[in-house]
Amino acid sequence: MNQTAQHAIDETEIELIEATVPEHLAGKRFDQALAEMFPAFSRSRLTEWIKAGDALLADAIRLGIAIGADEQVCRAAVNVAWTAVDWHRLERAEVDCATALALADERENRAFRLYALATRARLHVALGRWDAAVADAEEVLAQAEGPAVARIPALTCLGLVTGRRGEARAEGLLAEAADMARPTGELQ
């Protein structure tokens, strides 16, 4: 790092804080969870930092497109959409899901198309659009060779909707999702 950059970093006193959202806050919007985890920072400051991160991700996607890093572009776009759903930024998630699907389709990246569809299925569940969630989830599951990262949330969405509708197959769908997720060691 050159001295000018080092000097600028020292002047702004940037401190990296790394944390994991505790389980009891997992259902909250991201900004609400951060406010509880870091009460020393105002909610407006936390929101500024979140928005600054969004801008960086958008720039990274634009740069990836410019240099032809197709797989990374698709991955980043789906991750942005997934995170918007997680944070309950549902209007934003609508746009992000459409972007992720368009980027995957333009690049003919089938795996990331399925992941984007699974992400959109999660969005539909969050918005109460059960028929749309089922359609997206079933499209993912129709592709037997689809990646687990897409199949697990598709099974979960389908299980949630069928359970809410009182359908007997809900338990089997959720059990299949759990069986598929367990070996990954990650929350899905």
Side-chain angles (χ1 to χ4, degrees):
M1 177 180 307
N2 68 39
Q3 286 184 325
T4 306
Q6 180 65 49
H7 181 67
I9 290 171
D10 291 343
E11 280 186 356
T12 59
E13 298 180 25
I14 294 173
E15 178 184 350
L16 177 63
I17 301 171
E18 196 170 315
T20 301
V21 176
E23 199 169 316
H24 73 278
L25 296 177
K28 292 198 173 212
R29 284 193 344 242
F30 187 60
D31 62 322
Q32 291 172 338
L34 287 179
E36 286 191 39
M37 293 169 60
F38 302 105
F41 299 107
S42 70
R43 192 169 287 208
S44 63
R45 171 63 88 182
L46 293 169
T47 301
E48 285 176 29
W49 290 338
I50 291 168
K51 288 179 180 177
D54 288 346
L56 289 173
L57 286 170
D59 286 345
I61 290 171
R62 282 191 290 277
L63 176 61
I65 290 169
I67 65 171
D70 290 345
E71 185 172 334
Q72 290 78 6
V73 164
C74 291
R75 178 179 290 109
V78 171
N79 286 337
V80 167
W82 183 279
T83 302
V85 174
D86 278 352
W87 294 354
H88 300 278
R89 297 170 71 192
L90 302 181
E91 287 182 21
R92 165 73 189 268
E94 292 257 29
V95 173
D96 293 339
C97 284
T99 299
L101 278 165
L103 289 168
D105 287 344
E106 289 167 9
R107 283 149 186 78
E108 299 177 358
N109 190 312
R110 196 163 152 189
F112 280 105
R113 174 178 170 62
L114 295 175
Y115 191 12
L117 282 170
T119 303
R120 190 172 70 182
R122 292 178 65 235
L123 171 64
H124 290 318
V125 168
L127 290 168
R129 298 178 190 155
W130 293 4
D131 291 337
V134 167
D136 281 349
E138 287 180 341
E139 184 174 342
V140 171
L141 297 173
Q143 306 298 314
E145 74 284 355
V149 72
R151 295 183 66 76
I152 294 166
L155 285 163
T156 303
C157 289
L158 195 54
L160 289 171
V161 172
T162 57
R164 288 177 181 170
R165 290 178 170 168
E167 295 178 26
R169 67 184 180 139
E171 186 177 346
L173 292 164
L174 294 171
E176 185 179 348
D179 289 344
M180 193 177 288
R182 201 168 288 112
T184 70
E186 296 180 15
L187 293 175
Q188 296 292 328

